[in-house]
Amino acid sequence: MIKLEEYQKKLSVGTIKPVNLIFGEEDYLVKAFLDKLRAMHPVKVVWGDELSLYDFINTFTTSGMFSTAYVLFVYNADSFFEEIKDYKAFNSYLQRLGKNKVFFYIKQKLSDKDLQKEPYATISKLGDIIVAGKLDKRKVKDLVLKKFQREGISIEESALEYLLEASSYDLMLLKGETDKLILLGKKSLTLEDIKKTVVLEQELNIFEFLDALFFRNGEKALQALDSLLRSGTPPLQVLAVLVSYSLKLLTLKEAEAKGLPLENLFSELDIKSNFQVMKFKGYLSKNTLEDLWSLVKGLYFLDISLKVFFVNPEKALKDFVVKYLLHEESAG
């Protein structure tokens, strides 16, 4: 088994084995690999849910209708594998590809136990098993930063952190957004540039909503929430993020009240980037321990009303935010 980044570094037509499997969730790496593959050899891309075993046998084996040798790249290969009833016969076809080569791509993780089953066991004997696993956040940050540096562009740390968090460190989203930021023609990017330019509305609106709520800007909080819901963000997803942030804030505030250091606790709560730490410190300064206990209790009862009494989730969430903000204003 080999990581896709390492496999791609050594890629040449001569190194490609007859049958190969790529699995993992990092679409960006797979797309970059496919682009490089296309640059060196004819490639046919097909989708597993549209590819029949008959098509595979007759089009991409030595007895097929095409004389040109191809590299066949099969997206959603798991759908194709599900249609195979006789793996023994299928395996015999795999061994008669001639000059053709195949990459099967499955966009999910596979365990060692999975790889011992057919057709993976046969593929591993005939070719390479390649992992396109999610890159860790540090690696993604480094890739984005280097992309800007290659263009002679500097970016503020807070702006970079905001861009990464807003995109959930998704390299496919980041590619589009960084390309657009580069086209601005600026030699230095600020946090304000990122906020004005990127179009990751769903993710950014969640941050805007949290900022407004925890910084006690009622009008902006309701506007951001309304924008989130109108854009199709499920109310339960908003609730889940709000609960997560509220519980983390309550944990930090209780530690702060006891005079305990917060630095290690930030890491334990998966608040690791400087941008996140800065945000949480700001939230802590604006909310008392009583505020956060009230918020967490209210969210608990809201969750029950949604999951037990099946109230309208969108209306219930809006009503909760209005009541919470009005209560805090009157308490203040």
Side-chain angles (χ1 to χ4, degrees):
M1 203 168 343
I2 183 172
K3 289 185 178 180
L4 184 55
E5 309 97 284
E6 296 301 318
Y7 181 84
Q8 185 168 327
K9 288 178 184 177
K10 304 172 184 177
L11 185 65
S12 68
V13 175
T15 63
I16 301 174
K17 295 180 181 178
V19 185
N20 307 277
L21 173 71
I22 301 175
F23 72 89
E25 301 164 300
E26 193 55 85
D27 281 337
Y28 177 82
L29 293 179
V30 175
K31 183 181 182 303
F33 167 73
L34 189 53
D35 288 342
K36 184 171 183 178
L37 193 61
R38 280 174 163 149
M40 64 174 60
H41 199 72
V43 176
K44 290 188 71 73
V45 176
V46 295
W47 295 86
D49 47 1
E50 299 175 356
L51 179 67
S52 70
L53 182 57
Y54 177 85
D55 292 332
F56 179 85
I57 295 168
N58 288 278
T59 305
F60 301 108
T61 64
T62 51
S63 59
M65 63 183 75
F66 297 108
S67 57
T68 304
Y70 287 95
V71 172
L72 174 66
F73 194 96
V74 184
Y75 273 97
N76 295 347
D78 46 335
S79 297
F80 173 60
F81 293 152
E82 287 173 3
E83 299 300 315
I84 299 171
K85 306 303 180 186
D86 186 347
Y87 278 117
K88 186 175 181 181
F90 176 62
N91 292 340
S92 71
Y93 296 133
L94 292 180
Q95 297 179 57
R96 292 189 282 115
L97 294 176
K99 295 180 180 180
N100 297 300
K101 301 178 189 296
V102 179
F103 285 93
F104 294 109
Y105 174 43
I106 296 179
K107 189 183 173 181
Q108 65 184 47
K109 294 179 181 178
L110 294 175
S111 66
D112 290 340
K113 188 176 181 180
D114 291 329
L115 293 172
Q116 292 172 7
K117 301 175 183 176
E118 292 294 356
Y120 310 125
T122 295
I123 292 174
S124 65
K125 293 175 183 176
L126 298 175
D128 289 311
I129 304 296
I130 306 158
V131 184
K134 283 284 185 185
L135 299 180
D136 63 49
K137 291 182 177 181
R138 202 178 323 173
K139 179 67 173 176
V140 173
K141 181 178 180 179
D142 187 53
L143 287 173
V144 173
L145 186 58
K146 285 181 177 178
K147 181 174 181 177
F148 285 128
Q149 289 173 342
R150 285 196 300 271
E151 299 294 331
I153 299 171
S154 64
I155 181 170
E156 291 179 354
E157 178 70 15
S158 60
L160 179 59
E161 295 287 357
Y162 190 85
L163 176 62
L164 293 167
E165 294 290 339
S167 64
S168 300
Y169 288 79
D170 186 308
L171 281 170
M172 287 298 287
L173 289 176
L174 283 165
K175 181 185 183 304
E177 296 306 319
T178 51
D179 286 348
K180 186 165 56 179
L181 287 163
I182 289 169
L183 289 175
L184 289 177
K186 291 191 171 187
K187 291 300 179 183
S188 179
L189 295 171
T190 66
L191 178 58
E192 198 59 34
D193 292 326
I194 305 301
K195 288 185 175 182
K196 287 180 179 178
T197 306
V198 298
V199 294
L200 302 165
E201 292 185 358
Q202 180 171 320
E203 290 82 357
L204 288 175
N205 280 335
I206 286 178
F207 290 137
E208 298 290 352
F209 168 63
L210 293 170
D211 272 1
L213 185 71
F214 290 124
F215 285 131
R216 307 306 181 80
N217 187 332
E219 182 179 354
K220 189 173 180 181
L222 291 171
Q223 287 175 348
L225 177 60
D226 186 59
S227 178
L228 271 172
L229 297 174
R230 281 191 287 104
S231 70
T233 307
L236 289 178
Q237 181 180 330
V238 180
L239 177 60
V241 175
L242 182 54
V243 168
S244 173
Y245 269 63
S246 300
L247 289 172
K248 288 178 180 180
L249 277 170
L250 180 58
T251 302
L252 289 164
K253 199 69 179 181
E254 287 184 325
E256 186 181 65
K258 295 175 183 177
L260 300 174
L262 300 184
E263 298 310 316
N264 291 337
L265 190 53
F266 279 120
S267 181
E268 290 175 15
L269 293 172
D270 200 30
I271 304 169
K272 296 179 179 178
S273 73
N274 293 332
F275 183 67
Q276 284 182 306
V277 171
M278 177 189 72
K279 282 291 184 185
F280 271 84
K281 285 182 176 178
Y283 298 156
L284 287 170
S285 70
K286 294 292 185 180
N287 293 270
T288 67
L289 187 58
E290 292 73 20
D291 294 333
L292 295 171
W293 265 115
S294 174
L295 179 59
V296 169
K297 287 179 182 177
L299 289 169
Y300 170 75
F301 288 114
L302 174 61
D303 189 62
I304 289 177
S305 69
L306 294 176
K307 296 177 180 177
V308 177
F309 299 105
F310 304 106
V311 299
N312 182 294
E314 186 170 318
K315 183 178 184 303
L317 183 58
K318 285 183 177 179
D319 289 346
F320 171 80
V321 172
V322 170
K323 289 177 182 177
Y324 175 75
L325 290 170
L326 288 175
H327 172 74
E328 293 306 318
E329 285 177 7
S330 62

